[in-house]
Amino acid sequence: MVVGDIATGTDVLVIGAGPGGYVAAIRAGQLDLDVTLVEKDAYGGTCLNHGCIPSKALITATGVAHEAGNAEAMGIHADPAIDMGGMMEWKDGVVDQLTGGVEKLCKANGVNLVEGIAEFDGENRARVAHGGDGQGSESIEFEHAIVATGSRPVEIPGFEFDGERVVSSREALSLESVPDSLVIVGAGYIGMELAGVFAKLGTDVTVVEMLDEALVGFADDLAKPVVDGMEDLGVEIRLGEAASDWEETGDGISVTTETDEGEETNYDCEKVLVAVGRQPVTDTLNLEAIGLEPDENGFLQTDDRARTDVENVFAVGDVAGEPMLAHKGMKEGQVAAEVVAGEASALDYQAVPAAVFTEPEIGTVGMTEAEAEEAGFEPAVGQMPFRASGRALTTGHTDGFVRIVADAESGFVLGGQIVGPEASELIAEIGLAIELGATLEDVAATIHTHPTLSEAVHEAAENALGHAIHTLNR
Ligand SMILES: Cc1cc2nc3c(=O)[nH]c(=O)nc-3n(C[C@H](O)[C@H](O)[C@H](O)COP(=O)(O)OP(=O)(O)OC[C@H]3O[C@@H](n4cnc5c(N)ncnc54)[C@H](O)[C@@H]3O)c2cc1C
């Protein structure tokens, strides 16, 4: 402790106010724990400020313009003009509303908010350095700590972020003008979502991916409609090419890619966006002070109660490992707070959904057919194409399908994969079915509103049972 420092004390110290940390802090406050939440930047973390929310705001806004400009078949003839400043202002307004909401909710739940950079300073103590001139630091003694410091974008050699020519998703979500051309390195979900945004803004977009597939981790039949949709938007997707270098040209840059065979290609563009993944922020916490060591990738290992190897220290969200998704972090934050409060809470990852907000969207939860087989089930699988859905036809979006995977013997729903309109929303029904231990018969017996896209989930369940009405049975 620095001489003259007066240590404040708290039951629970939460470091980082992203979805993992703010949920942990609010839940701890609800459980009458004395809780202190330290944030160095902005409430809401990556998700609200530089990730989920701004990206989805821009996906929606550019989607509105694109839909309006491509609705001749519906008898609508429009040529929307995009005011980039106005769009960014609207997006920033959404972000401000949500970050302000997080701050208010924390305060209303009795959370003590501290602005600054926290690091451990002893077994039960952390030091918080306040930003700004001469604001000094403070020492906080804690009974329990919840680490929720999130993640940062991964840089690749030769492509250090300069915020001008080489940008991460963070800068890409706040550009003041529309780039004429953009190379996106990485065809994961962040790269593909942003490729859609910029293509709809009129940017000439090329996505380069070192692997031989886009959206790795998603089944081929889910990724293919997205790749096709991107190509329809004019996005060029180059697989099997690794970005190796870049150099300034007269009025832009040239990005060089290399194949495994050493074949080089150059792409002229205004900027390059590197979206090759994210890494946990655990290297700035002085973890040695509490005797905690991250794994070789920087993640903190936790048990099913979000507890690290150190009894009174928990880790939630991106620092606690894959999948690095906001809702997974929120659940972990809630469980950590409840465990600290002495409740019998635990994590169960059988139904963590994932969504890709492209056109069409992807939504997945639970097991695929192959995973169900691997786990020893004999899967019953049902599928419903959106082209047979009345509601899908009325929206003009009929690409894709709903697939439901169940255990043939018991009928228990094990998983689902959806590609198509509103897949990110529809997947929730299959997640709920898994969580509740519902069977195919339960889903099929549930009366769904007509005409809705959710009828496709109902129909897929009936298809798995062999008696779908609006589609041919397998
Ligand atoms: C472009 C993009 C789009 C995304 N879209 C989605 C999506 O649609 N759905 C989804 O589920 N996920 C999405 N994600 C991922 C999601 O943002 C993260 O999984 C989520 O934010 C992780 O939450 P977290 O609380 O673990 O960390 P973060 O949200 O990263 O928050 C960590 C916080 O800790 C603070 N902090 C770090 N170190 C310290 C310190 N020493 N002291 C004090 N404060 C500190 C940081 O400033 C930050 O505010 C997206 C991410 C990106 C980049």
Side-chain angles (χ1 to χ4, degrees):
M1 209 186 298
V2 173
V3 180
D5 241 17
I6 300 167
T8 48
T10 188
D11 288 343
V12 197
L13 172 69
V14 182
I15 307 177
Y22 81 72
V23 169
I26 290 174
R27 188 73 189 111
Q30 288 170 352
L31 293 164
D32 288 332
L33 292 163
D34 176 48
V35 51
T36 300
L37 174 61
V38 186
E39 170 55 53
K40 71 177 172 64
D41 189 358
Y43 298 115
T46 304
C47 173
L48 263 53
N49 295 283
H50 318 291
C52 327
I53 296 299
S55 63
K56 267 79 253 183
L58 294 183
I59 287 168
T60 304
T62 52
V64 168
H66 182 75
E67 291 268 301
N70 290 274
E72 285 83 11
M74 292 177 175
I76 298 166
H77 303 277
D79 186 11
I82 290 176
D83 156 17
M84 191 71 165
M87 187 181 283
M88 289 295 172
E89 208 176 297
W90 172 73
K91 179 257 307 174
D92 291 341
V94 173
V95 168
D96 288 348
Q97 197 175 331
L98 289 168
T99 54
V102 166
E103 189 176 353
K104 277 194 204 123
L105 285 169
C106 286
K107 286 181 177 159
N109 283 287
V111 176
N112 175 30
L113 296 172
V114 174
E115 285 172 23
I117 304 175
E119 65 169 28
F120 291 106
D121 190 27
E123 250 178 44
N124 283 68
R125 199 172 54 237
R127 165 162 300 283
V128 179
H130 299 300
D133 293 335
Q135 287 181 35
S137 65
E138 71 180 283
S139 192
I140 300 178
E141 297 204 338
F142 58 83
E143 293 285 321
H144 298 90
I146 300 178
V147 179
T149 44
S151 62
R152 61 169 86 92
V154 169
E155 281 182 336
I156 49 174
F159 287 82
E160 286 73 32
F161 299 121
D162 64 12
E164 285 297 319
R165 291 304 196 188
V166 184
V167 300
S168 71
S169 55
R170 183 175 177 144
E171 291 85 31
L173 291 168
S174 293
L175 292 180
E176 279 162 15
S177 59
V178 180
D180 286 338
S181 49
L182 181 69
V183 167
I184 298 180
V185 182
Y189 86 91
I190 293 177
M192 294 295 262
E193 286 183 359
L194 291 176
V197 165
F198 283 100
K200 287 175 184 173
L201 286 170
T203 301
D204 189 357
V205 182
T206 306
V207 179
V208 298
E209 166 60 59
M210 64 187 275
L211 302 175
D212 288 330
E213 55 184 312
L215 291 169
V216 73
F218 292 95
D220 288 353
D221 59 355
L222 298 178
K224 176 139 193 341
V226 176
V227 169
D228 292 349
M230 283 296 157
E231 285 172 351
D232 288 349
L233 289 171
V235 175
E236 192 177 349
I237 299 179
R238 307 282 303 195
L239 301 174
E241 291 185 27
S244 55
D245 203 0
W246 69 277
E247 59 176 21
E248 299 262 2
T249 57
D251 51 358
I253 62 173
S254 174
V255 174
T256 307
T257 66
E258 230 175 83
T259 62
D260 275 352
E261 291 73 39
E263 194 183 315
E264 285 193 357
T265 312
N266 294 306
Y267 298 96
D268 289 334
C269 57
E270 202 178 309
K271 291 178 192 296
V272 54
L273 159 61
V274 180
V276 295
R278 298 182 61 83
Q279 66 190 58
V281 177
T282 45
D283 51 348
T284 52
L285 282 167
N286 193 26
L287 290 171
E288 310 85 69
I290 46 169
L292 195 55
E293 207 181 318
D295 71 12
E296 68 276 13
N297 298 314
F299 291 107
L300 294 175
Q301 300 299 311
T302 52
D303 65 12
D304 67 349
R305 313 195 80 200
R307 204 190 290 271
T308 65
D309 294 342
V310 177
E311 178 75 12
N312 63 334
V313 179
F314 296 73
V316 303
D318 286 4
V319 286
E322 298 282 358
M324 289 202 248
L325 293 170
H327 44 274
K328 186 222 77 161
M330 291 185 200
K331 181 70 187 169
E332 289 172 341
Q334 191 166 352
V335 167
E338 289 169 358
V339 172
V340 170
E343 296 202 350
S345 206
L347 293 162
D348 177 355
Y349 294 114
Q350 67 166 337
V352 183
V356 184
F357 295 76
T358 38
E359 200 176 299
E361 292 184 353
I362 294 177
T364 63
V365 67
M367 296 184 198
T368 60
E369 182 174 2
E371 285 163 352
E373 266 166 15
E374 246 170 68
F377 295 102
E378 190 198 316
V381 178
Q383 203 151 310
M384 163 72 173
F386 281 112
R387 65 172 182 278
S389 151
R391 183 63 183 129
L393 280 159
T394 67
T395 68
H397 295 284
T398 53
D399 283 346
F401 57 84
V402 172
R403 181 162 57 221
I404 195 161
V405 179
D407 171 30
E409 198 185 329
S410 62
F412 286 129
V413 177
L414 301 172
Q417 299 85 43
I418 305 178
V419 58
E422 305 294 344
S424 60
E425 298 284 348
L426 294 174
I427 200 66
E429 178 174 351
I430 302 181
L432 185 66
I434 299 171
E435 196 62 41
L436 295 181
T439 62
L440 288 172
E441 284 81 0
D442 293 325
V443 178
T446 304
I447 300 175
H448 288 67
T449 321
H450 176 75
T452 58
L453 296 169
S454 68
E455 285 176 295
V457 178
H458 174 260
E459 194 80 16
E462 290 204 322
N463 182 247
L465 291 166
H467 55 77
I469 303 292
H470 299 93
T471 186
L472 292 179
N473 291 293
R474 295 173 153 211

